[in-house]
Amino acid sequence: MRKSYRVKSEKDFSLVFHQGDSKANRQFVVYSIEKEQKHFRVGLSVGKKIGNAVTRNRVKRLIRQALTELKPYIKSNVDFIIIARKPTKDMSQDQVKSSLIHVMRLQGLFHTDPSRPVERNERAESEN
């Protein structure tokens, strides 16, 4: 994901944590807040309880890959933060993606259903 799709600053993280709402499942907690912007931004938090640096980086890669695949479905006017919980360290790519879909659907971050295929013209619009 490009830098423009990331929540990086402490100020932005704090804003999402304190003013946004959250939903969770066993693997992830998602905080989100609606903002006026042209595309969504995401922040990742994978703590030391998950494992060593290699394990944490693997989990972040799996989350980023799932988000890349879900990009056409995610609302553009949100900032959200994904916090990984301990069970994520043993999950496969498909498990991470399905768990993220579940918690993001609870949070209302999708403008269309990710289980239905995206048409070519929708995909082209979402990539711009």
Side-chain angles (χ1 to χ4, degrees), residues 72 111-112 116-128:
H111 58 79
T112 57
R116 110 178 149 77
V118 176
E119 299 297 323
R120 289 183 151 246
N121 58 357
E122 288 179 30
R123 187 176 296 135
E125 289 174 8
S126 66
E127 290 176 358
N128 291 333

Side-chain angles (χ1 to χ4, degrees), residues 1-122:
M1 296 190 110
R2 291 182 290 187
K3 283 187 179 182
S4 63
Y5 282 88
R6 296 185 191 158
V7 175
K8 299 282 276 181
S9 72
E10 184 179 342
K11 177 183 159 193
D12 290 339
F13 262 86
S14 295
L15 180 74
V16 176
F17 276 128
H18 297 297
Q19 294 184 7
D21 64 330
S22 67
K23 296 284 190 254
N25 61 13
R26 291 183 188 272
Q27 296 83 17
F28 298 103
V29 179
V30 175
Y31 288 84
S32 70
I33 190 168
E34 292 192 9
K35 296 178 80 175
E36 276 300 318
Q37 55 198 14
K38 63 180 184 177
H39 57 75
F40 70 88
R41 295 187 315 156
V42 63
L44 300 178
S45 177
V46 182
K48 287 188 176 182
K49 289 182 181 181
I50 302 293
N52 62 15
V54 174
T55 304
R56 292 193 309 269
N57 287 332
R58 178 185 166 274
V59 169
K60 286 188 269 189
R61 278 194 313 273
L62 293 175
I63 294 169
R64 278 192 216 107
Q65 178 60 37
L67 289 172
T68 301
E69 293 172 11
L70 295 171
K71 186 177 170 182
Y73 306 103
I74 299 173
K75 290 180 181 177
S76 61
N77 64 337
V78 293
D79 280 358
F80 59 99
I81 296 173
I82 298 172
I83 301 171
R85 290 182 167 174
K86 210 168 189 174
T88 57
K89 71 178 181 178
D90 300 319
M91 293 172 69
S92 69
Q93 175 64 46
D94 290 335
Q95 291 170 325
V96 167
K97 184 177 176 182
S98 67
S99 183
L100 272 176
I101 288 171
H102 173 255
V103 74
M104 290 172 73
R105 191 177 280 148
L106 288 175
Q107 188 68 353
L109 296 178
F110 295 124
H111 58 79
T112 57
D113 187 14
S115 59
R116 110 178 149 77
V118 176
E119 299 297 323
R120 289 183 151 246
N121 58 357
E122 288 179 30

